[in-house]
Amino acid sequence: INDLLNMKHGAAIAFGGRQLGKSTTMFQVRDRFHDPINNKYAFYFKGDSYFGGHIDDSKPEQRERRIWSILYDKFSETGLLHPKKDLSTDGMRAAITDCLAKKKDLQVMVIFDEIDTGIGGRAAEAVGRKLKQLAQTTQVLCITHLPQIASFADFHYLIEKREAAGRARTSVRRLSAAERAAELARML
């Protein structure tokens, strides 16, 4: 977890794994990072909570609009933005990007937990591209089971939960380039 907390902005990170424990790990990362007094904000989005229902694969802009809308609302709730009504997707993206550019001491981590719920193919690839764009201005952590999204990450971690001595242990391990290629192939 300390490795994740010390990552610099501008990195997209994908998480995968075959076991439970990913969401719990992300809650720990969020809770340890979030410190509004020191201008550090962490936002957590669980896929089925925010993106429930089917999004038409032929309309990836639906998912993109939803992502930016949720981020815009979170930035507004914390007072980082002054909300405006009826903004386009580009308007919300511009407002968030402008906020991040103006506030040099602001650190934001956005955690997307399985936002790939109900999508695949071209829609998943479009979401991966947008997350990569977002990662240019903020730290993005993304739990995904789709190689179309994971392939856009700058780093890939594997989260595994194992039982040892009657206790569940969760480990987070950064994958090497060869391990990453194997994991992306497995995800296919």
Side-chain angles (χ1 to χ4, degrees):
I1 291 177
N2 287 333
D3 188 31
L4 298 175
L5 292 170
N6 294 322
M7 296 293 279
K8 300 292 182 213
H9 283 0
I13 302 173
F15 294 90
R18 298 166 197 86
Q19 312 272 326
L20 299 173
K22 295 182 290 294
S23 296
T24 302
T25 302
M26 292 302 99
F27 285 136
Q28 291 172 0
V29 169
R30 179 203 59 196
D31 293 345
R32 288 180 58 188
F33 183 87
H34 192 75
D35 182 9
I37 292 172
N38 291 307
N39 259 350
K40 294 172 75 172
Y41 295 87
F43 304 121
Y44 177 89
F45 304 102
K46 176 75 173 149
D48 54 4
S49 300
Y50 289 96
F51 303 105
H54 179 72
I55 300 285
D56 187 344
D57 257 3
S58 67
K59 298 179 182 175
E61 66 277 1
Q62 291 176 351
R63 176 101 12 167
E64 178 187 0
R65 169 106 182 130
R66 188 72 183 123
I67 289 170
W68 285 108
S69 176
I70 291 166
L71 278 174
Y72 187 82
D73 290 347
K74 290 291 185 183
F75 270 66
S76 298
E77 287 169 15
T78 61
L80 294 171
L81 286 175
H82 299 291
K84 296 177 183 168
K85 294 200 182 278
D86 300 323
L87 283 179
S88 67
T89 302
D90 288 341
M92 288 184 281
R93 182 177 34 244
I96 291 168
T97 303
D98 190 46
C99 172
L100 292 167
K102 286 181 179 176
K103 299 180 180 192
K104 298 294 182 195
D105 62 337
L106 178 64
Q107 295 180 48
V108 176
M109 177 184 291
V110 183
I111 302 169
F112 294 105
D113 188 347
E114 299 186 19
I115 63 166
D116 51 22
T117 301
I119 64 168
R122 289 186 302 142
E125 182 180 347
V127 168
R129 287 185 194 284
K130 295 303 179 181
L131 292 175
K132 181 74 170 182
Q133 284 180 332
L134 178 62
Q136 293 173 359
T137 55
T138 189
Q139 182 67 49
V140 175
L141 305 180
C142 183
I143 296 173
T144 183
H145 296 283
L146 295 179
Q148 296 96 320
I149 292 176
S151 66
F152 286 97
D154 295 311
F155 304 99
H156 196 129
Y157 286 77
L158 184 67
I159 300 175
E160 297 178 294
K161 188 181 227 179
R162 296 191 177 146
E163 190 171 319
R167 296 191 63 190
R169 300 275 183 201
T170 301
S171 65
V172 179
R173 181 173 61 85
R174 185 172 168 180
L175 299 179
S176 68
E179 291 172 318
R180 181 178 185 197
E183 181 66 12
L184 288 171
R186 186 199 65 77
M187 293 170 81
L188 288 172

PDB file of all heavy atoms in Angstrom, residues 72-104:
ATOM      1  N   TYR A  72     -17.104  15.134 -11.608  1.00  0.00           N
ATOM      2  CA  TYR A  72     -17.490  16.538 -11.452  1.00  0.00           C
ATOM      3  C   TYR A  72     -18.295  16.736 -10.164  1.00  0.00           C
ATOM      4  O   TYR A  72     -18.055  17.674  -9.406  1.00  0.00           O
ATOM      5  CB  TYR A  72     -18.296  16.993 -12.673  1.00  0.00           C
ATOM      6  CG  TYR A  72     -18.600  18.463 -12.682  1.00  0.00           C
ATOM      7  CD1 TYR A  72     -17.658  19.381 -13.134  1.00  0.00           C
ATOM      8  CD2 TYR A  72     -19.825  18.952 -12.222  1.00  0.00           C
ATOM      9  CE1 TYR A  72     -17.930  20.739 -13.142  1.00  0.00           C
ATOM     10  CE2 TYR A  72     -20.097  20.305 -12.228  1.00  0.00           C
ATOM     11  CZ  TYR A  72     -19.153  21.194 -12.688  1.00  0.00           C
ATOM     12  OH  TYR A  72     -19.414  22.539 -12.677  1.00  0.00           O
ATOM     13  N   ASP A  73     -19.231  15.824  -9.908  1.00  0.00           N
ATOM     14  CA  ASP A  73     -20.025  15.904  -8.677  1.00  0.00           C
ATOM     15  C   ASP A  73     -19.141  15.772  -7.435  1.00  0.00           C
ATOM     16  O   ASP A  73     -19.321  16.502  -6.458  1.00  0.00           O
ATOM     17  CB  ASP A  73     -21.107  14.821  -8.653  1.00  0.00           C
ATOM     18  CG  ASP A  73     -22.213  15.068  -9.666  1.00  0.00           C
ATOM     19  OD1 ASP A  73     -22.296  16.187 -10.213  1.00  0.00           O
ATOM     20  OD2 ASP A  73     -22.986  14.119  -9.928  1.00  0.00           O
ATOM     21  N   LYS A  74     -18.182  14.840  -7.459  1.00  0.00           N
ATOM     22  CA  LYS A  74     -17.289  14.653  -6.313  1.00  0.00           C
ATOM     23  C   LYS A  74     -16.419  15.894  -6.082  1.00  0.00           C
ATOM     24  O   LYS A  74     -16.232  16.323  -4.952  1.00  0.00           O
ATOM     25  CB  LYS A  74     -16.402  13.415  -6.503  1.00  0.00           C
ATOM     26  CG  LYS A  74     -17.150  12.121  -6.415  1.00  0.00           C
ATOM     27  CD  LYS A  74     -17.637  11.869  -5.004  1.00  0.00           C
ATOM     28  CE  LYS A  74     -18.292  10.518  -4.896  1.00  0.00           C
ATOM     29  NZ  LYS A  74     -18.837  10.259  -3.569  1.00  0.00           N
ATOM     30  N   PHE A  75     -15.893  16.464  -7.159  1.00  0.00           N
ATOM     31  CA  PHE A  75     -15.084  17.680  -7.030  1.00  0.00           C
ATOM     32  C   PHE A  75     -15.937  18.814  -6.471  1.00  0.00           C
ATOM     33  O   PHE A  75     -15.479  19.611  -5.663  1.00  0.00           O
ATOM     34  CB  PHE A  75     -14.490  18.084  -8.389  1.00  0.00           C
ATOM     35  CG  PHE A  75     -13.142  17.489  -8.679  1.00  0.00           C
ATOM     36  CD1 PHE A  75     -12.990  16.122  -8.862  1.00  0.00           C
ATOM     37  CD2 PHE A  75     -12.026  18.285  -8.785  1.00  0.00           C
ATOM     38  CE1 PHE A  75     -11.754  15.565  -9.136  1.00  0.00           C
ATOM     39  CE2 PHE A  75     -10.779  17.754  -9.059  1.00  0.00           C
ATOM     40  CZ  PHE A  75     -10.638  16.382  -9.233  1.00  0.00           C
ATOM     41  N   SER A  76     -17.198  18.890  -6.888  1.00  0.00           N
ATOM     42  CA  SER A  76     -18.107  19.932  -6.406  1.00  0.00           C
ATOM     43  C   SER A  76     -18.454  19.723  -4.933  1.00  0.00           C
ATOM     44  O   SER A  76     -18.462  20.673  -4.150  1.00  0.00           O
ATOM     45  CB  SER A  76     -19.383  19.953  -7.242  1.00  0.00           C
ATOM     46  OG  SER A  76     -19.091  20.258  -8.584  1.00  0.00           O
ATOM     47  N   GLU A  77     -18.735  18.482  -4.533  1.00  0.00           N
ATOM     48  CA  GLU A  77     -19.092  18.177  -3.146  1.00  0.00           C
ATOM     49  C   GLU A  77     -17.989  18.567  -2.174  1.00  0.00           C
ATOM     50  O   GLU A  77     -18.261  18.961  -1.040  1.00  0.00           O
ATOM     51  CB  GLU A  77     -19.375  16.674  -2.986  1.00  0.00           C
ATOM     52  CG  GLU A  77     -20.672  16.215  -3.585  1.00  0.00           C
ATOM     53  CD  GLU A  77     -20.784  14.693  -3.630  1.00  0.00           C
ATOM     54  OE1 GLU A  77     -19.990  13.991  -2.954  1.00  0.00           O
ATOM     55  OE2 GLU A  77     -21.668  14.202  -4.347  1.00  0.00           O
ATOM     56  N   THR A  78     -16.745  18.434  -2.591  1.00  0.00           N
ATOM     57  CA  THR A  78     -15.621  18.751  -1.713  1.00  0.00           C
ATOM     58  C   THR A  78     -15.272  20.234  -1.720  1.00  0.00           C
ATOM     59  O   THR A  78     -14.412  20.665  -0.960  1.00  0.00           O
ATOM     60  CB  THR A  78     -14.359  17.962  -2.125  1.00  0.00           C
ATOM     61  OG1 THR A  78     -14.014  18.329  -3.456  1.00  0.00           O
ATOM     62  CG2 THR A  78     -14.567  16.478  -2.014  1.00  0.00           C
ATOM     63  N   GLY A  79     -15.923  21.008  -2.590  1.00  0.00           N
ATOM     64  CA  GLY A  79     -15.632  22.431  -2.679  1.00  0.00           C
ATOM     65  C   GLY A  79     -14.483  22.761  -3.614  1.00  0.00           C
ATOM     66  O   GLY A  79     -14.074  23.917  -3.711  1.00  0.00           O
ATOM     67  N   LEU A  80     -13.953  21.779  -4.314  1.00  0.00           N
ATOM     68  CA  LEU A  80     -12.865  22.026  -5.255  1.00  0.00           C
ATOM     69  C   LEU A  80     -13.363  22.759  -6.502  1.00  0.00           C
ATOM     70  O   LEU A  80     -12.608  23.472  -7.148  1.00  0.00           O
ATOM     71  CB  LEU A  80     -12.199  20.709  -5.663  1.00  0.00           C
ATOM     72  CG  LEU A  80     -11.462  19.964  -4.551  1.00  0.00           C
ATOM     73  CD1 LEU A  80     -11.040  18.578  -5.014  1.00  0.00           C
ATOM     74  CD2 LEU A  80     -10.265  20.769  -4.074  1.00  0.00           C
ATOM     75  N   LEU A  81     -14.639  22.583  -6.816  1.00  0.00           N
ATOM     76  CA  LEU A  81     -15.275  23.243  -7.958  1.00  0.00           C
ATOM     77  C   LEU A  81     -16.564  23.904  -7.505  1.00  0.00           C
ATOM     78  O   LEU A  81     -17.212  23.430  -6.576  1.00  0.00           O
ATOM     79  CB  LEU A  81     -15.657  22.219  -9.034  1.00  0.00           C
ATOM     80  CG  LEU A  81     -14.586  21.615  -9.893  1.00  0.00           C
ATOM     81  CD1 LEU A  81     -15.201  20.549 -10.788  1.00  0.00           C
ATOM     82  CD2 LEU A  81     -13.910  22.655 -10.732  1.00  0.00           C
ATOM     83  N   HIS A  82     -16.944  24.950  -8.184  1.00  0.00           N
ATOM     84  CA  HIS A  82     -18.259  25.546  -7.983  1.00  0.00           C
ATOM     85  C   HIS A  82     -19.155  24.995  -9.087  1.00  0.00           C
ATOM     86  O   HIS A  82     -18.920  25.253 -10.265  1.00  0.00           O
ATOM     87  CB  HIS A  82     -18.183  27.072  -8.040  1.00  0.00           C
ATOM     88  CG  HIS A  82     -17.301  27.636  -6.980  1.00  0.00           C
ATOM     89  ND1 HIS A  82     -17.623  27.600  -5.640  1.00  0.00           N
ATOM     90  CD2 HIS A  82     -16.084  28.219  -7.048  1.00  0.00           C
ATOM     91  CE1 HIS A  82     -16.666  28.147  -4.939  1.00  0.00           C
ATOM     92  NE2 HIS A  82     -15.711  28.533  -5.773  1.00  0.00           N
ATOM     93  N   PRO A  83     -20.163  24.202  -8.712  1.00  0.00           N
ATOM     94  CA  PRO A  83     -20.943  23.501  -9.733  1.00  0.00           C
ATOM     95  C   PRO A  83     -21.725  24.431 -10.656  1.00  0.00           C
ATOM     96  O   PRO A  83     -22.211  25.474 -10.236  1.00  0.00           O
ATOM     97  CB  PRO A  83     -21.881  22.622  -8.904  1.00  0.00           C
ATOM     98  CG  PRO A  83     -21.929  23.233  -7.560  1.00  0.00           C
ATOM     99  CD  PRO A  83     -20.633  23.960  -7.358  1.00  0.00           C
ATOM    100  N   LYS A  84     -21.790  24.020 -11.902  1.00  0.00           N
ATOM    101  CA  LYS A  84     -22.600  24.697 -12.912  1.00  0.00           C
ATOM    102  C   LYS A  84     -23.540  23.645 -13.486  1.00  0.00           C
ATOM    103  O   LYS A  84     -23.188  22.478 -13.592  1.00  0.00           O
ATOM    104  CB  LYS A  84     -21.716  25.267 -14.013  1.00  0.00           C
ATOM    105  CG  LYS A  84     -20.774  26.341 -13.505  1.00  0.00           C
ATOM    106  CD  LYS A  84     -19.868  26.820 -14.608  1.00  0.00           C
ATOM    107  CE  LYS A  84     -18.900  27.845 -14.041  1.00  0.00           C
ATOM    108  NZ  LYS A  84     -17.818  28.162 -14.939  1.00  0.00           N
ATOM    109  N   LYS A  85     -24.693  24.069 -13.873  1.00  0.00           N
ATOM    110  CA  LYS A  85     -25.690  23.134 -14.401  1.00  0.00           C
ATOM    111  C   LYS A  85     -25.505  22.921 -15.906  1.00  0.00           C
ATOM    112  O   LYS A  85     -25.011  23.787 -16.613  1.00  0.00           O
ATOM    113  CB  LYS A  85     -27.095  23.662 -14.133  1.00  0.00           C
ATOM    114  CG  LYS A  85     -27.429  23.711 -12.648  1.00  0.00           C
ATOM    115  CD  LYS A  85     -28.927  23.745 -12.470  1.00  0.00           C
ATOM    116  CE  LYS A  85     -29.280  23.835 -11.015  1.00  0.00           C
ATOM    117  NZ  LYS A  85     -29.261  22.581 -10.321  1.00  0.00           N
ATOM    118  N   ASP A  86     -25.930  21.759 -16.341  1.00  0.00           N
ATOM    119  CA  ASP A  86     -26.016  21.412 -17.763  1.00  0.00           C
ATOM    120  C   ASP A  86     -24.705  21.558 -18.533  1.00  0.00           C
ATOM    121  O   ASP A  86     -24.687  22.069 -19.646  1.00  0.00           O
ATOM    122  CB  ASP A  86     -27.108  22.240 -18.442  1.00  0.00           C
ATOM    123  CG  ASP A  86     -28.468  22.004 -17.817  1.00  0.00           C
ATOM    124  OD1 ASP A  86     -28.740  20.847 -17.430  1.00  0.00           O
ATOM    125  OD2 ASP A  86     -29.249  22.965 -17.704  1.00  0.00           O
ATOM    126  N   LEU A  87     -23.614  21.110 -17.945  1.00  0.00           N
ATOM    127  CA  LEU A  87     -22.343  21.120 -18.669  1.00  0.00           C
ATOM    128  C   LEU A  87     -22.249  19.901 -19.574  1.00  0.00           C
ATOM    129  O   LEU A  87     -22.732  18.819 -19.244  1.00  0.00           O
ATOM    130  CB  LEU A  87     -21.161  21.085 -17.693  1.00  0.00           C
ATOM    131  CG  LEU A  87     -20.791  22.373 -16.982  1.00  0.00           C
ATOM    132  CD1 LEU A  87     -19.612  22.134 -16.053  1.00  0.00           C
ATOM    133  CD2 LEU A  87     -20.442  23.466 -17.976  1.00  0.00           C
ATOM    134  N   SER A  88     -21.607  20.077 -20.692  1.00  0.00           N
ATOM    135  CA  SER A  88     -21.345  18.948 -21.584  1.00  0.00           C
ATOM    136  C   SER A  88     -20.229  18.100 -20.970  1.00  0.00           C
ATOM    137  O   SER A  88     -19.572  18.506 -20.006  1.00  0.00           O
ATOM    138  CB  SER A  88     -20.896  19.459 -22.956  1.00  0.00           C
ATOM    139  OG  SER A  88     -19.629  20.095 -22.828  1.00  0.00           O
ATOM    140  N   THR A  89     -19.990  16.943 -21.550  1.00  0.00           N
ATOM    141  CA  THR A  89     -18.882  16.097 -21.100  1.00  0.00           C
ATOM    142  C   THR A  89     -17.576  16.862 -21.201  1.00  0.00           C
ATOM    143  O   THR A  89     -16.765  16.864 -20.268  1.00  0.00           O
ATOM    144  CB  THR A  89     -18.822  14.802 -21.946  1.00  0.00           C
ATOM    145  OG1 THR A  89     -20.067  14.119 -21.820  1.00  0.00           O
ATOM    146  CG2 THR A  89     -17.684  13.907 -21.491  1.00  0.00           C
ATOM    147  N   ASP A  90     -17.350  17.539 -22.317  1.00  0.00           N
ATOM    148  CA  ASP A  90     -16.123  18.317 -22.488  1.00  0.00           C
ATOM    149  C   ASP A  90     -16.038  19.453 -21.474  1.00  0.00           C
ATOM    150  O   ASP A  90     -14.950  19.774 -20.985  1.00  0.00           O
ATOM    151  CB  ASP A  90     -16.038  18.885 -23.905  1.00  0.00           C
ATOM    152  CG  ASP A  90     -15.734  17.811 -24.947  1.00  0.00           C
ATOM    153  OD1 ASP A  90     -15.244  16.722 -24.562  1.00  0.00           O
ATOM    154  OD2 ASP A  90     -16.005  18.055 -26.137  1.00  0.00           O
ATOM    155  N   GLY A  91     -17.157  20.047 -21.125  1.00  0.00           N
ATOM    156  CA  GLY A  91     -17.171  21.123 -20.133  1.00  0.00           C
ATOM    157  C   GLY A  91     -16.784  20.626 -18.747  1.00  0.00           C
ATOM    158  O   GLY A  91     -16.043  21.292 -18.023  1.00  0.00           O
ATOM    159  N   MET A  92     -17.304  19.454 -18.375  1.00  0.00           N
ATOM    160  CA  MET A  92     -16.942  18.873 -17.073  1.00  0.00           C
ATOM    161  C   MET A  92     -15.461  18.506 -17.045  1.00  0.00           C
ATOM    162  O   MET A  92     -14.755  18.783 -16.070  1.00  0.00           O
ATOM    163  CB  MET A  92     -17.808  17.648 -16.776  1.00  0.00           C
ATOM    164  CG  MET A  92     -19.246  17.992 -16.447  1.00  0.00           C
ATOM    165  SD  MET A  92     -20.241  16.567 -15.993  1.00  0.00           S
ATOM    166  CE  MET A  92     -20.596  15.855 -17.592  1.00  0.00           C
ATOM    167  N   ARG A  93     -14.991  17.882 -18.114  1.00  0.00           N
ATOM    168  CA  ARG A  93     -13.582  17.499 -18.197  1.00  0.00           C
ATOM    169  C   ARG A  93     -12.691  18.737 -18.114  1.00  0.00           C
ATOM    170  O   ARG A  93     -11.697  18.754 -17.391  1.00  0.00           O
ATOM    171  CB  ARG A  93     -13.317  16.722 -19.487  1.00  0.00           C
ATOM    172  CG  ARG A  93     -11.885  16.261 -19.610  1.00  0.00           C
ATOM    173  CD  ARG A  93     -11.576  15.406 -20.846  1.00  0.00           C
ATOM    174  NE  ARG A  93     -12.323  15.751 -22.028  1.00  0.00           N
ATOM    175  CZ  ARG A  93     -13.202  14.929 -22.623  1.00  0.00           C
ATOM    176  NH1 ARG A  93     -13.435  13.744 -22.147  1.00  0.00           N
ATOM    177  NH2 ARG A  93     -13.838  15.317 -23.712  1.00  0.00           N
ATOM    178  N   ALA A  94     -13.058  19.794 -18.819  1.00  0.00           N
ATOM    179  CA  ALA A  94     -12.270  21.028 -18.804  1.00  0.00           C
ATOM    180  C   ALA A  94     -12.260  21.665 -17.413  1.00  0.00           C
ATOM    181  O   ALA A  94     -11.221  22.154 -16.953  1.00  0.00           O
ATOM    182  CB  ALA A  94     -12.821  22.014 -19.833  1.00  0.00           C
ATOM    183  N   ALA A  95     -13.400  21.663 -16.733  1.00  0.00           N
ATOM    184  CA  ALA A  95     -13.471  22.246 -15.394  1.00  0.00           C
ATOM    185  C   ALA A  95     -12.578  21.494 -14.413  1.00  0.00           C
ATOM    186  O   ALA A  95     -11.863  22.105 -13.601  1.00  0.00           O
ATOM    187  CB  ALA A  95     -14.922  22.244 -14.894  1.00  0.00           C
ATOM    188  N   ILE A  96     -12.575  20.165 -14.486  1.00  0.00           N
ATOM    189  CA  ILE A  96     -11.738  19.356 -13.595  1.00  0.00           C
ATOM    190  C   ILE A  96     -10.266  19.559 -13.926  1.00  0.00           C
ATOM    191  O   ILE A  96      -9.439  19.769 -13.029  1.00  0.00           O
ATOM    192  CB  ILE A  96     -12.131  17.861 -13.694  1.00  0.00           C
ATOM    193  CG1 ILE A  96     -13.522  17.659 -13.089  1.00  0.00           C
ATOM    194  CG2 ILE A  96     -11.095  16.979 -13.000  1.00  0.00           C
ATOM    195  CD1 ILE A  96     -14.138  16.306 -13.379  1.00  0.00           C
ATOM    196  N   THR A  97      -9.936  19.523 -15.202  1.00  0.00           N
ATOM    197  CA  THR A  97      -8.549  19.718 -15.630  1.00  0.00           C
ATOM    198  C   THR A  97      -8.048  21.097 -15.218  1.00  0.00           C
ATOM    199  O   THR A  97      -6.920  21.243 -14.731  1.00  0.00           O
ATOM    200  CB  THR A  97      -8.429  19.534 -17.154  1.00  0.00           C
ATOM    201  OG1 THR A  97      -8.912  18.230 -17.487  1.00  0.00           O
ATOM    202  CG2 THR A  97      -7.002  19.673 -17.626  1.00  0.00           C
ATOM    203  N   ASP A  98      -8.884  22.119 -15.371  1.00  0.00           N
ATOM    204  CA  ASP A  98      -8.525  23.482 -14.989  1.00  0.00           C
ATOM    205  C   ASP A  98      -8.309  23.577 -13.480  1.00  0.00           C
ATOM    206  O   ASP A  98      -7.354  24.205 -13.022  1.00  0.00           O
ATOM    207  CB  ASP A  98      -9.625  24.449 -15.436  1.00  0.00           C
ATOM    208  CG  ASP A  98      -9.227  25.895 -15.291  1.00  0.00           C
ATOM    209  OD1 ASP A  98      -8.094  26.238 -15.690  1.00  0.00           O
ATOM    210  OD2 ASP A  98     -10.040  26.682 -14.769  1.00  0.00           O
ATOM    211  N   CYS A  99      -9.171  22.955 -12.715  1.00  0.00           N
ATOM    212  CA  CYS A  99      -9.036  22.938 -11.256  1.00  0.00           C
ATOM    213  C   CYS A  99      -7.699  22.326 -10.853  1.00  0.00           C
ATOM    214  O   CYS A  99      -6.988  22.867 -10.014  1.00  0.00           O
ATOM    215  CB  CYS A  99     -10.192  22.151 -10.639  1.00  0.00           C
ATOM    216  SG  CYS A  99     -10.038  21.842  -8.862  1.00  0.00           S
ATOM    217  N   LEU A 100      -7.351  21.205 -11.459  1.00  0.00           N
ATOM    218  CA  LEU A 100      -6.098  20.527 -11.131  1.00  0.00           C
ATOM    219  C   LEU A 100      -4.885  21.357 -11.546  1.00  0.00           C
ATOM    220  O   LEU A 100      -3.869  21.377 -10.853  1.00  0.00           O
ATOM    221  CB  LEU A 100      -6.054  19.154 -11.797  1.00  0.00           C
ATOM    222  CG  LEU A 100      -7.056  18.131 -11.252  1.00  0.00           C
ATOM    223  CD1 LEU A 100      -7.158  16.937 -12.183  1.00  0.00           C
ATOM    224  CD2 LEU A 100      -6.682  17.701  -9.850  1.00  0.00           C
ATOM    225  N   ALA A 101      -4.985  22.067 -12.673  1.00  0.00           N
ATOM    226  CA  ALA A 101      -3.872  22.879 -13.155  1.00  0.00           C
ATOM    227  C   ALA A 101      -3.651  24.114 -12.278  1.00  0.00           C
ATOM    228  O   ALA A 101      -2.513  24.514 -12.037  1.00  0.00           O
ATOM    229  CB  ALA A 101      -4.123  23.297 -14.604  1.00  0.00           C
ATOM    230  N   LYS A 102      -4.739  24.714 -11.793  1.00  0.00           N
ATOM    231  CA  LYS A 102      -4.639  25.940 -10.999  1.00  0.00           C
ATOM    232  C   LYS A 102      -4.161  25.699  -9.576  1.00  0.00           C
ATOM    233  O   LYS A 102      -3.530  26.548  -8.971  1.00  0.00           O
ATOM    234  CB  LYS A 102      -5.986  26.656 -10.966  1.00  0.00           C
ATOM    235  CG  LYS A 102      -6.328  27.352 -12.254  1.00  0.00           C
ATOM    236  CD  LYS A 102      -7.655  28.064 -12.141  1.00  0.00           C
ATOM    237  CE  LYS A 102      -7.994  28.794 -13.418  1.00  0.00           C
ATOM    238  NZ  LYS A 102      -9.321  29.403 -13.362  1.00  0.00           N
ATOM    239  N   LYS A 103      -4.503  24.560  -9.023  1.00  0.00           N
ATOM    240  CA  LYS A 103      -4.171  24.263  -7.634  1.00  0.00           C
ATOM    241  C   LYS A 103      -2.968  23.327  -7.607  1.00  0.00           C
ATOM    242  O   LYS A 103      -3.107  22.119  -7.508  1.00  0.00           O
ATOM    243  CB  LYS A 103      -5.374  23.662  -6.915  1.00  0.00           C
ATOM    244  CG  LYS A 103      -6.560  24.603  -6.897  1.00  0.00           C
ATOM    245  CD  LYS A 103      -7.738  24.002  -6.177  1.00  0.00           C
ATOM    246  CE  LYS A 103      -8.893  25.001  -6.208  1.00  0.00           C
ATOM    247  NZ  LYS A 103      -9.966  24.649  -5.329  1.00  0.00           N
ATOM    248  N   LYS A 104      -1.776  23.919  -7.657  1.00  0.00           N
ATOM    249  CA  LYS A 104      -0.542  23.143  -7.788  1.00  0.00           C
ATOM    250  C   LYS A 104      -0.307  22.197  -6.618  1.00  0.00           C
ATOM    251  O   LYS A 104       0.295  21.146  -6.782  1.00  0.00           O
ATOM    252  CB  LYS A 104       0.655  24.076  -7.943  1.00  0.00           C
ATOM    253  CG  LYS A 104       0.604  24.942  -9.178  1.00  0.00           C
ATOM    254  CD  LYS A 104       0.701  24.120 -10.431  1.00  0.00           C
ATOM    255  CE  LYS A 104       0.687  25.025 -11.644  1.00  0.00           C
ATOM    256  NZ  LYS A 104       0.428  24.351 -12.861  1.00  0.00           N
TER     257      LYS A 104
END
